[in-house]
Amino acid sequence: LIITFRTSKDFDGQLLAFCHADTQTDRASDANIEIGATGTKTRWTTIHKTFVARRQSANLYLNLATNKGSLYFSEVIIVPIDEVK
């Protein structure tokens, strides 16, 4: 999972992304992951995390927790592990 984003200067919150790719989405596993970042990021920033999917599809949730400011996404990508070099 690769996420590229930036925030406004007045952003005071955090980005939280959840990817559920296990056959049971309510359990903790290496197929159900969380990734995030806190604070102001006025330049494009990329975060990433590897996971092992246990099914052909995934549920992706992009969440924002903040009191003020904006969050902008450039891209959100899920890359199959056999394509990672």
Side-chain angles (χ1 to χ4, degrees):
L1 175 61
I2 303 166
I3 301 172
T4 302
F5 71 99
R6 69 176 177 86
T7 70
S8 60
K9 289 181 181 179
D10 62 340
F11 184 79
D12 69 349
Q14 66 181 14
L15 159 67
L16 294 167
F18 303 94
C19 186
H20 294 167
D22 201 333
T23 55
Q24 297 179 16
T25 59
D26 61 343
R27 70 175 182 179
S29 78
D30 58 353
N32 294 331
I33 61 167
E34 177 183 331
I35 187 172
T38 59
T40 302
K41 310 277 192 272
T42 56
R43 294 183 179 211
W44 289 110
T45 303
T46 300
I47 56 176
H48 59 86
K49 190 167 187 175
T50 302
F51 66 98
V52 178
R54 293 203 174 89
R55 60 182 179 166
Q56 291 293 324
S57 63
N59 297 330
L60 180 62
Y61 304 93
L62 302 174
N63 297 289
L64 166 66
T66 188
N67 289 316
K68 62 181 177 178
S70 301
L71 176 67
Y72 308 95
F73 291 99
S74 172
E75 61 184 1
V76 178
I77 304 170
I78 298 176
V79 180
I81 196 71
D82 58 352
E83 294 181 20
V84 176
K85 297 181 185 212

